[in-house]
Amino acid sequence: MIYRDHFQNYKSYQIPKAQLIIADIPYNIGENAYASHRQWYKDGDNKNGESELAGTEFFDTDKNFRPAEFMHFCSTMLRSEPKRIKDNPEIEGTEKSNKRKKSGAPCMIVFCAFDQQMYLIELAKRYGLNNYINLVFRKNFSAQVLKANMKIVGNCEYALIFYRERLPKFNNNGKMIFNCMDWPRDNESEKIHPTQKPIKLLERLIEIFTDEGDVVIDPCAGSGSTLIAAQNLNRKAYGFEIKKDFYLAAKKWIEQNAKLRSEIKEFGYAKTELNKINPTLF
């Protein structure tokens, strides 16, 4: 479910509290937004000189983004930590004991610029999110093109995991998960938003910190990719996107994805998609 509204107005929608909040907040790069995109130059080639997008910004709403209000929303909409259950000597070391000790605590993941991290860490503490784990996503390419032949260019994205006191729910199948992860390319999804995150990456994060049926919220939904990833994994997803064009495109994508999943479940294949390629008699 995606709403064309600001997350500040969440109360009117009676949204359930989340096991996981994922947000890609504005990086506040302003008029240099396209400096990290080929669109900065004519035909995407720096030999052709700057395009009309050079020196412009992605979104006119970024300057109105208030991090404190965002953090307050997130701290309010994260579900409460489950109460600790005291160890019972009679079941200590048994399978039942291990299940009872597993944390169901919630968390939030915030994608951010490298130099935003310390500010967000201190801000989160004001709202009871006292602990964090930093994430680094390693790309096998760089989106930076401005003066790319004159400096070291970045190929990393950054995020922070925030949680209260107890470590969040953690589905790792007994394996170690490193805080430096590969960034998969997404060449299949329609490109709706300039900072759209890959579906496979979002699915990976959702799988780690939630179970089927859990609630995932994206306060800055953009393309709706977080909701698509949650939908694919049978999670309940809610998002807010104030910009009309992004909202309409995201809503359409979410509805199409839901239909595709429904058809696969009913027919064993995506009937609508197949008919686009080669109309059938069924």
Side-chain angles (χ1 to χ4, degrees):
M1 179 72 71
I2 187 168
Y3 304 95
R4 189 194 166 199
D5 204 346
H6 196 283
F7 56 78
Q8 290 172 315
N9 301 322
Y10 70 95
K11 289 183 179 179
S12 61
Y13 299 105
Q14 300 181 330
I15 295 174
K17 295 200 173 185
Q19 181 67 36
L20 174 65
I21 292 177
I22 299 183
D24 183 14
I25 65 172
Y27 289 11
N28 295 320
I29 51 181
E31 64 182 18
N32 290 319
Y34 286 95
S36 293
H37 289 260
R38 295 174 63 250
Q39 296 101 310
W40 181 284
Y41 298 109
K42 295 176 182 177
D43 299 324
D45 190 336
N46 60 3
K47 296 178 182 178
N48 298 331
E50 296 178 350
S51 69
E52 71 274 5
L53 295 177
T56 60
E57 58 188 0
F58 286 144
F59 319 112
D60 55 9
T61 54
D62 281 7
K63 58 178 70 71
N64 298 320
F65 182 79
R66 296 178 176 85
E69 292 180 1
F70 162 77
M71 200 63 75
H72 175 263
F73 165 83
C74 294
S75 65
T76 300
M77 288 306 296
L78 279 177
R79 62 186 292 266
S80 300
E81 292 188 353
K83 293 182 179 180
R84 295 179 184 272
I85 302 176
K86 293 183 179 180
D87 294 337
N88 184 339
E90 295 181 3
I91 62 172
E92 185 67 32
T94 66
E95 183 179 353
K96 185 176 181 181
S97 173
N98 293 334
K99 285 183 179 179
R100 295 179 79 179
K101 287 182 178 180
K102 182 180 178 180
S103 174
C107 68
M108 62 181 290
I109 301 173
V110 182
F111 289 92
C112 59
F114 176 81
D115 54 4
Q116 286 180 310
Q117 292 181 94
M118 292 311 300
Y119 168 70
L120 291 172
I121 290 168
E122 293 304 315
L123 181 63
K125 290 178 181 178
R126 287 166 44 187
Y127 294 91
L129 297 163
N130 297 316
N131 298 284
Y132 72 92
I133 301 170
N134 66 309
L135 295 176
V136 179
F137 303 99
R138 180 180 53 233
K139 299 177 178 177
N140 64 357
F141 63 96
S142 176
Q144 294 180 353
V145 297
L146 184 61
K147 298 182 180 179
N149 60 340
M150 299 172 65
K151 63 179 182 180
I152 294 175
V153 295
N155 73 321
C156 293
E157 296 269 348
Y158 303 93
L160 291 161
I161 302 169
F162 291 113
Y163 59 98
R164 297 187 182 104
E165 302 303 329
R166 299 182 64 186
L167 283 168
K169 181 182 291 186
F170 189 61
N171 299 320
N172 63 335
N173 295 318
K175 298 180 180 179
M176 189 179 295
I177 296 179
F178 298 112
N179 76 324
C180 183
M181 303 180 181
D182 288 330
W183 181 278
R185 283 181 179 266
D186 190 346
N187 297 320
E188 298 177 2
S189 303
E190 180 184 355
K191 187 71 172 176
I192 294 174
H193 196 279
T195 60
Q196 186 169 318
K197 300 298 183 282
I199 295 295
K200 292 298 182 185
L201 175 66
L202 294 168
E203 287 179 345
R204 177 65 176 138
L205 295 173
I206 291 170
E207 281 180 324
I208 293 172
F209 297 109
T210 68
D211 295 320
E212 286 195 16
D214 282 344
V215 174
V216 178
I217 296 177
D218 187 342
C220 311
S223 68
S225 55
T226 298
L227 280 68
I228 293 288
Q231 191 179 65
N232 290 345
L233 297 171
N234 297 316
R235 274 62 167 176
K236 300 171 185 175
Y238 302 87
F240 293 86
E241 175 52 49
I242 197 169
K243 297 288 286 185
K244 181 179 180 181
D245 290 347
F246 292 137
Y247 163 77
L248 291 174
K251 185 172 182 290
K252 180 180 178 181
W253 187 16
I254 293 166
E255 290 172 350
Q256 288 175 339
N257 190 65
K259 185 175 183 179
L260 180 147
R261 288 172 49 77
S262 176
E263 289 180 348
I264 291 175
K265 184 177 181 180
E266 182 178 356
F267 305 114
Y269 65 97
K271 183 178 179 181
T272 302
E273 293 299 311
L274 186 62
N275 281 338
K276 289 179 182 178
I277 302 171
N278 187 21
T280 68
L281 297 177
F282 303 101

